[in-house]
Amino acid sequence: LLCVLPQAGMGQQTTAAPTDEEEQIDNSIRKLGYVSGQVVQCKTASPEKAKLEKHALEIANGILRLFGSDRAFMFAATYGAGVTEKIEPSKCAEAIQRYETAVAKLKVLATK
């Protein structure tokens, strides 16, 4: 048993730590999910809400294809947090601006 424990510990040490780039991607996905949810909450008209919800689903599918299910789930979870956490109506304009900026960046990245 004493011979096996050091080897088991060595196996855990070889696990790669996330890089700064991976952390940036994760943070960006979280922020995009959260702001997407906030914007859905800010829109009161059903057609606008439906369009934003469809767009969020398209983003989640894109994340799934490019980055895998863990990151797609992360997007979905933060989207849900953005939808359910109450936002002050006065902050909606800022959230919409952040969302539009993020979507514009996504469109630029998608064309590369």
Side-chain angles (χ1 to χ4, degrees):
L1 183 64
L2 293 176
C3 294
V4 175
L5 286 175
Q7 291 174 349
M10 288 175 24
Q12 291 175 351
Q13 292 173 350
T14 59
T15 304
T19 64
D20 288 339
E21 185 176 289
E22 289 174 349
E23 287 178 28
Q24 288 176 348
I25 291 170
D26 289 347
N27 287 335
S28 296
I29 289 171
R30 283 187 200 100
K31 288 177 185 177
L32 179 59
Y34 189 76
V35 76
S36 296
Q38 284 184 321
V39 170
V40 167
Q41 190 182 149
C42 288
K43 298 294 183 175
T44 56
S46 292
E48 290 177 332
K49 258 188 178 178
K51 183 179 176 183
L52 288 169
E53 289 168 348
K54 182 180 179 200
H55 193 248
L57 182 59
E58 291 170 358
I59 292 171
N61 285 333
I63 292 170
L64 177 63
R65 283 192 306 274
L66 293 173
F67 300 110
S69 60
D70 287 349
R71 286 182 170 151
F73 179 80
M74 183 187 339
F75 173 84
T78 55
Y79 172 84
V83 168
T84 57
E85 189 175 297
K86 279 293 189 192
I87 185 171
E88 295 292 323
S90 62
K91 295 184 180 184
C92 281
E94 178 188 344
I96 291 169
Q97 180 60 40
R98 287 188 1 232
Y99 174 77
E100 290 173 352
T101 301
V103 169
K105 287 180 184 179
L106 276 177
K107 288 180 181 178
V108 168
L109 290 173
T111 60
K112 289 185 177 185

